[in-house]
Amino acid sequence: MKKIIACVLTLGLAVSMVTGCASGGAKKEEAKKIKIGYVNWSEGIAMTNLAAAILEDKMGYDVDMVLADVAPVFTSLASGNTDLFLDTWLPVTHKEYLDKYGKDIVDMGVEYENAKIGLVVPSYVDINSIDQLNDSKDKFGGKIIGIDSGAGIMKKTEEAIDQYGLDYELVSGSGPAMTASLKKAIDKNEPIAVTGWTPHWMFARWDLKVLEDPKGVYGDAENIHVYSRKGFDKDMPDAAAFIKNFKLSDEVLSDLMAKIEDSKEDPIETAKKWMNENEDQVNTWLGK
C-alpha cells in the first residue's frame, strides 16, 4: 500500500509539473512598449496623452511618455531611442530640426492643420503689428515673454527682433510660465507681449490677438506632423496605422486642451475620460 501511495504521489507531482510548465511556467508575453517624446506645450501635452490613452487602453501597449526640450526629442527620435513625436510644426517652426535629422526620421502624416505662431498681446493693447512694438517699448517693459529656449518659436522671435530692429529682451522660460505671466498682466489690465501659437487654450480663455507680421518672419499657417523613428511602422504596424489615422480637428483639440487645463487630475486621466466619452471619434481613428 505504501508503495502504491508513493507512486500515486510521484505521478501527481509529475502531472502538476507538466501542467505548470504548460500554463504558469511560460512567461506571459509582455505588452509592447512605445516611447513618446513630448514638449511642455499645451497642444503637445493634449495630443500625446490622448494617443497614449488609446494605445494603452484600446490597443494593449505599454506607453512611456518622456518630457524634454524639443532638441533632445529630435535627437532621441533620430537615434531610435524614442518611437514617436506628435508635435512637429512645418514648414517653418521646426525646419531647422528637419534639415538636421530629416533623413533619420519618418513623417507619419499631418495630425492638425492651420496651426500658427507669432507674437500675441491682449486685445486691449493699442497696437496691431510687430513693427509698432518699439514705439510702445516702455509700456511692455522692453520684454517679450517666451517659452523654452530651444523651441522653434523662440528662434523665430530672435529673428523677428533682428528683422524689425526691436529693442526688446526675449525672456525664456516655459509654456506654463508664459501663460502665468499673461494671466497676471491681464488681471491687472497691463500690456504684455508673449510668444504664442494656435491651437492653444489661452485663446478660449482670454481675448487675445496675434500681431501682424509684415515681414513674414513667422510664416503662414503651418501643419503639425507626427514623426517616428525609422522602422516603427514595421515593428508595430497596428500602432502605426492608428497614428496615421490620428487626425485632430480644431474642435476636438480645443475641447481636450481646455479639459486638461481645467482639471486637477493628471493629464492622462483626463485624456482617458475624454476617450471614453468620445468612442465614435476614437473608433474612427482605430479604423473601426
Side-chain angles (χ1 to χ4, degrees):
M1 180 63 70
K2 289 182 179 179
K3 289 183 179 180
I4 293 173
I5 293 173
C7 289
V8 170
L9 290 174
T10 302
L11 179 61
L13 179 60
V15 170
S16 66
M17 289 178 65
V18 171
T19 305
C21 290
S23 56
K27 289 185 178 180
K28 184 179 179 180
E29 184 180 352
E30 293 184 0
K32 289 185 178 180
K33 294 184 178 181
I34 292 180
K35 183 177 179 180
I36 306 179
Y38 73 106
V39 183
N40 198 14
W41 305 331
S42 59
E43 83 288 346
I45 292 170
M47 294 186 296
T48 301
N49 278 274
L50 180 56
I54 295 169
L55 285 164
E56 286 186 340
D57 286 11
K58 301 295 185 180
M59 304 183 71
Y61 281 90
D62 180 7
V63 180
D64 181 18
M65 293 180 287
V66 180
L67 177 64
D69 288 338
V70 66
V73 170
F74 273 106
T75 301
S76 183
L77 197 66
S79 66
N81 292 321
T82 293
D83 294 303
L84 294 168
F85 178 48
L86 281 69
D87 206 6
T88 302
W89 290 52
L90 293 173
V92 177
T93 306
H94 292 140
K95 179 180 183 298
E96 174 185 346
Y97 297 105
L98 266 295
D99 288 344
K100 185 174 182 179
Y101 298 112
K103 68 181 184 300
D104 299 317
I105 56 181
V106 179
D107 188 352
M108 301 288 282
V110 174
E111 181 181 26
Y112 179 89
E113 296 180 334
N114 203 33
K116 296 179 182 179
I117 63 171
L119 294 185
V120 175
V121 300
S123 291
Y124 56 73
V125 173
D126 61 357
I127 67 169
N128 297 301
S129 178
I130 296 175
D131 55 11
Q132 297 175 319
L133 277 170
N134 273 342
D135 294 335
S136 301
K137 178 186 174 183
D138 292 340
K139 293 181 181 179
F140 291 95
K143 294 180 179 180
I144 297 170
I145 308 303
I147 56 172
D148 41 299
S149 58
I153 193 173
M154 293 293 279
K155 297 180 184 299
K156 281 296 169 183
T157 301
E158 290 171 354
E159 185 179 332
I161 289 173
D162 179 61
Q163 290 288 326
Y164 286 96
L166 300 180
D167 188 16
Y168 276 73
E169 174 191 359
L170 177 59
V171 180
S172 61
S174 67
M178 177 271 289
T179 53
S181 296
L182 183 60
K183 179 185 185 303
K184 183 177 179 180
I186 290 174
D187 287 345
K188 296 180 178 180
N189 204 46
E190 294 176 346
I192 185 172
V194 304
T195 57
W197 62 93
T198 57
H200 197 292
W201 57 263
M202 65 183 179
F203 284 92
R205 179 157 298 180
W206 300 302
D207 190 7
L208 306 171
K209 59 185 176 183
V210 180
L211 293 179
E212 295 172 6
D213 178 18
K215 296 182 182 292
V217 174
Y218 291 100
D220 297 322
E222 298 190 86
N223 292 328
I224 302 178
H225 294 240
V226 181
Y227 269 81
S228 76
R229 63 168 173 81
K230 281 187 174 180
F232 175 76
D233 57 341
K234 294 180 181 178
D235 295 338
M236 304 176 189
D238 58 338
F242 156 63
I243 289 297
K244 289 177 181 179
N245 283 336
F246 193 52
K247 312 294 184 184
L248 299 171
S249 67
D250 187 59
E251 180 182 9
V252 165
L253 188 52
S254 296
D255 182 48
L256 178 59
M257 283 192 297
K259 282 183 167 58
I260 288 176
E261 177 59 26
D262 293 339
S263 175
K264 294 181 180 180
E265 293 182 314
D266 189 284
I268 189 66
E269 298 304 323
T270 304
K272 287 182 178 182
K273 285 183 179 179
W274 192 97
M275 173 188 70
N276 292 328
E277 292 169 357
N278 295 271
E279 287 190 5
D280 289 344
Q281 176 64 77
V282 172
N283 285 336
T284 299
W285 293 328
L286 291 172
K288 295 182 180 179

